[in-house]
Amino acid sequence: MNVEKQLAENAAKTEQELVRLTSESDADFAPVLEALRYSLLAPRAKRIRPALVLEFCRLFGGEDQAALPAAAAVEMVHTYSLIHDDLPCMDNDDLRRGRPTCHVAHGEATALLAGDALLTYAFEVLAQNAAMGDRAVREAVLTLSSLAGVFGMIGGQIIDLAGEKRKLPEELLLKLHNNKTGALMVASATLGCLAAGLTLSDPRTMAARRYAKGIGLAFQIVDDVIDATTDSETAGKSVGSDEKQNKTTFLCYYTPKEALAYAKRVTDAAKAEISSYEGSEFLQALADKLIERKF
């Protein structure tokens, strides 16, 4: 199983779709269009979430035609969250995906609007995805809006901010990670299932969601370790900011070695959720790769 090759192929398909969706030009809107493309099409983007959309759609018999707009929409929401997360009012980071953050390159106000534009455009793209069918589109919009919102990714971010002022109990830290990172992973897997024609209540969709929640938690645990142990050049983003901002992370409760062992246990449980489905080898190998990464 060549995970890198398959990830690269999925990323190329996603980026082709993103370029198509953001190719329209208007000189009067040029500053914000340039800023959103700058972040959305950054060369070191991993495209993990679009890969989940595509792979779960394929796993359950769907076609890329239905999954690609959903994959693009998820990546737009993810990129918007990164732009806003990097702003001076949040983490105040100056490096993302191997180059200056959006607000450093284009100015704070324009970066804010670029993030807003990507968030709203994501739902326009989802709503126009005729290949998914009306029922699936409604459920996709509901899923992404819910998991990206106050009881999902936004909720995780607000807990993250609270963790700069006080040490969070470990239970609340888990809630932070499950929402700030895990929620959009769950949305990605769910949209892939919907693109394949499954419903939200289908046992296969529920298994996909449990898998995605697990790898999302593991992903963020590894991120905590990377922030404390890797240099910015390797990571392609600012590191050490968690300690500077006195944030509560997994390393407040575990050593790096213990944290990585925790991530491995969570990953193994996630893989077990989908191991019975023929064709799930890539998704299982991807789960392992995400906890072995150095950036």
Side-chain angles (χ1 to χ4, degrees), residues 155-260:
Q157 185 64 49
I158 204 69
I159 298 173
D160 191 38
L161 292 173
E164 295 177 9
K165 299 180 177 67
R166 60 186 174 93
K167 184 178 180 181
L168 303 177
E170 187 176 352
E171 183 179 356
L172 188 55
L173 179 64
L174 285 169
K175 186 175 183 179
L176 184 166
H177 285 349
N178 282 327
N179 283 274
K180 183 179 178 182
T181 303
L184 205 54
M185 296 284 201
V186 173
S188 301
T190 306
L191 264 59
C193 294
L194 294 173
L198 275 58
T199 63
L200 289 176
S201 60
D202 191 297
R204 292 167 291 180
T205 304
M206 302 307 293
R209 289 170 69 95
R210 290 190 294 270
Y211 161 90
K213 181 179 179 180
I215 68 166
L217 174 57
F219 187 96
Q220 188 58 52
I221 292 171
V222 173
D223 249 19
D224 286 355
V225 175
I226 288 171
D227 189 80
T229 62
T230 305
D231 62 89
S232 294
E233 184 177 353
T234 301
K237 61 182 180 180
S238 301
V239 296
S241 59
D242 289 345
E243 184 177 2
K244 291 175 190 173
Q245 297 176 33
N246 200 34
K247 282 191 176 185
T248 306
T249 72
F250 246 73
L251 300 189
C252 294
Y253 291 97
Y254 302 91
T255 66
K257 183 177 179 180
E258 290 169 341
L260 292 175

Side-chain angles (χ1 to χ4, degrees), residues 109-122:
T110 300
L112 179 67
L113 291 171
D116 292 345
L118 286 169
L119 174 61
T120 51
Y121 190 31

